[in-house]
Amino acid sequence: RYGIRSNSGQVRSRLIKPRRQPSLECRQTMDRDGQNEESTGDIVQHPRNDEDLRKQDEVEMQTEMVEPAVDGDRLEELLAMGFGRSRAVRALHFSAGGVEDAVTWLADHEDDRDLDEPLLVPKTGDKADAASRLTPEEARKIANEMLERARKKKQEEEKKMEIEREKERLRTGREMAEAKKKLEEQEWKRAIEARRREKLEDSKARAEIREKLAADRRERRIKMGLPPEESLEEQAPNENDALTAGKAPSGGPVHRSTVTTIANPLRDTLVLLKKACGGDQNAVNIAFRTLLAYCSNLLQHPSQEKFRKIHLSNAAFQARVGSLQGGKEFLELCGFCLAPDGSALVLPEDRLDESKIQAAYVELQKAMSNPFFGTL
């Protein structure tokens, strides 16, 4: 081989083969008389025409050696990776595949001595070069296989992503459910705590009212020259009067235990209500009659809901009882409680105690019939 530099500066390699020797032919001589004798072979040279040999050499010398054609995009990609041009061309030519196959080929042939030498092949190609090329059918088959692999790979990646998204959705759902449960528990605890504080405040307010009424009673008794506390003889007639005051409108008897337990708190709230009227006896009578009507309706019609509910927005109720201290407290002692929305006082059917209503009815009758009620 030797290199020839063309006018364009490109180095091309040409292959020079030695001249072929003239063909050799052995002729065997035989005796004309037909006797078999040992023949002697004479070597006779038949030289070929010099003009034919010269033309054959010229044809062989005209075979041009060029760099093999490879995919330009893949070549640029290998060059961008840092491989030399000679290595990249060799890898793409011999691997006959993509960039990954070319990199694998370079790793397998890293120790080749001519790895960095330019690769040159006959321009027209020989049998080996023709065999290394793929037919259109083979190329389509390989392309379809590559597309199928890419499609399967994409499907696997999408499946994995879908699984990850489902895991994330389940994890988010569990976190939201746990957060909702914790929030509900906190709200439930706050509601219980608010209810407990409300009961404590209510008990405290009732205790303060009873203490205030007791102090007021003691003060009035001291001013009148009486002992601060009532004696047993003074307390006995009050209980007997409550028992002998008659029957409630419902016709049922008044129970001694109920009267004894709730009589004093009822009486105290009525005294407080009378003081809230500021000495206006007409206002006191209206308030007492209003409360007496509530008790009478409850005893006569305990199953009717309209008599077990008092709207706080009722102007007549507010003017007669609701706005006066001791009015709502008297109803609460009868069993009424504030509705959840705070718009009314209600007496649930399961909390309706006729003995309490009867005791309240008796205390109202006593207060209305006694002109000196609340002065002691």
Side-chain angles (χ1 to χ4, degrees):
R1 290 172 183 259
Y2 66 94
I4 298 177
R5 185 178 298 276
S6 63
N7 293 333
S8 61
Q10 182 178 3
V11 177
R12 298 180 179 178
S13 174
R14 297 188 181 276
L15 178 64
I16 300 179
K17 296 183 180 180
R19 291 181 178 273
R20 296 180 180 178
Q21 297 296 331
S23 61
L24 298 177
E25 184 179 1
C26 179
R27 295 183 178 181
Q28 185 175 8
T29 61
M30 301 180 63
D31 293 338
R32 293 183 179 180
D33 54 359
Q35 296 180 357
N36 291 332
E37 297 181 354
E38 232 175 83
S39 63
T40 60
D42 296 334
I43 300 176
V44 181
Q45 295 183 353
H46 298 275
R48 298 179 61 182
N49 191 344
D50 290 342
E51 184 65 22
D52 295 337
L53 295 175
R54 186 182 64 80
K55 289 182 179 180
Q56 181 179 355
D57 290 342
E58 288 180 357
V59 171
E60 291 178 352
M61 291 177 63
Q62 290 299 325
T63 303
E64 185 178 1
M65 306 298 289
V66 296
E67 185 180 79
V70 295
D71 187 86
D73 295 337
R74 296 174 181 176
L75 179 61
E76 292 295 332
E77 191 172 349
L78 287 174
L79 293 177
M81 292 181 181
F83 296 105
R85 181 179 180 84
S86 299
R87 292 194 176 200
V89 171
R90 282 179 179 272
L92 292 173
H93 177 72
F94 289 113
S95 64
V99 176
E100 295 181 359
D101 296 335
V103 173
T104 304
W105 186 93
L106 286 172
D108 295 338
H109 297 78
E110 187 177 3
D111 297 331
D112 293 356
R113 295 182 179 179
D114 59 347
L115 188 61
D116 293 321
E117 295 180 4
L119 177 63
L120 300 174
V121 296
K123 185 176 181 180
T124 57
D126 51 13
K127 292 182 179 181
D129 183 54
S132 64
R133 296 183 180 180
L134 300 175
T135 62
E137 292 76 9
E138 293 174 341
R140 283 194 295 271
K141 182 179 180 181
I142 293 176
N144 292 334
E145 291 177 354
M146 294 176 63
L147 290 174
E148 183 66 19
R149 287 196 299 269
R151 185 182 63 80
K152 290 182 178 179
K153 184 177 180 181
K154 184 177 180 181
Q155 289 179 352
E156 292 176 357
E157 292 178 353
E158 290 179 352
K159 186 175 181 180
K160 291 180 180 179
M161 291 178 62
E162 183 65 24
I163 292 174
E164 292 297 328
R165 285 195 293 269
E166 183 65 17
K167 290 181 179 179
E168 181 67 17
R169 186 185 67 80
L170 293 176
R171 185 185 63 81
T172 305
R174 287 194 298 268
E175 291 179 354
M176 292 180 64
E178 292 176 357
K180 184 178 179 180
K181 184 178 179 180
K182 289 181 180 179
L183 182 61
E184 291 177 352
E185 290 179 353
Q186 292 176 359
E187 292 179 353
W188 181 67
K189 290 180 180 179
R190 285 195 293 268
I192 293 177
E193 182 64 21
R195 181 61 179 170
R196 187 185 65 83
R197 289 196 301 268
E198 182 181 353
K199 288 183 177 180
L200 290 176
E201 292 175 357
D202 187 54
S203 300
K204 184 178 179 180
R206 291 184 180 183
E208 291 178 354
I209 291 174
R210 287 193 294 268
E211 182 64 27
K212 186 176 181 180
L213 292 173
D216 188 52
R217 186 186 301 110
R218 289 192 297 270
E219 183 180 356
R220 290 196 302 271
R221 289 181 64 85
I222 291 173
K223 288 181 179 179
M224 296 177 64
L226 299 174
E229 301 295 338
E230 293 182 353
S231 62
L232 296 177
E233 292 78 6
E234 292 174 331
Q235 294 178 3
N238 293 334
E239 294 181 0
N240 293 330
D241 292 341
L243 292 173
T244 58
K247 295 183 179 181
S250 63
V254 179
H255 300 282
R256 180 185 296 271
S257 59
T258 303
V259 174
T260 304
T261 304
I262 202 173
N264 289 335
L266 289 170
R267 192 181 304 115
D268 294 340
T269 54
L270 291 176
V271 172
L272 190 62
L273 179 59
K274 185 175 181 179
K275 287 185 61 178
C277 293
D280 188 355
Q281 187 61 34
N282 185 36
V284 173
N285 293 334
I286 292 175
F288 285 177
R289 283 197 298 269
T290 301
L291 294 175
L292 189 67
Y294 288 146
C295 294
S296 177
N297 290 332
L298 287 173
L299 291 172
Q300 293 179 5
H301 311 284
S303 60
Q304 294 189 17
E305 186 179 358
K306 65 179 182 179
F307 296 120
R308 291 186 282 108
K309 186 173 184 180
I310 302 173
H311 292 280
L312 297 179
S313 59
N314 191 327
F317 169 77
Q318 290 293 335
R320 298 175 183 179
V321 177
S323 61
L324 301 176
Q325 187 178 5
K328 293 181 180 179
E329 289 78 2
F330 183 88
L331 293 172
E332 288 176 357
L333 290 174
C334 294
F336 283 86
C337 61
L338 188 66
D341 57 356
S343 62
L345 291 174
V346 295
L347 178 58
E349 190 173 2
D350 56 346
R351 292 185 55 181
L352 180 59
D353 188 353
E354 292 187 6
S355 60
K356 289 184 179 180
I357 307 301
Q358 291 172 356
Y361 188 88
V362 171
E363 289 298 324
L364 284 168
Q365 282 186 331
K366 289 173 55 179
M368 295 176 64
S369 62
N370 185 5
F372 303 100
F373 176 77
T375 57
L376 296 178

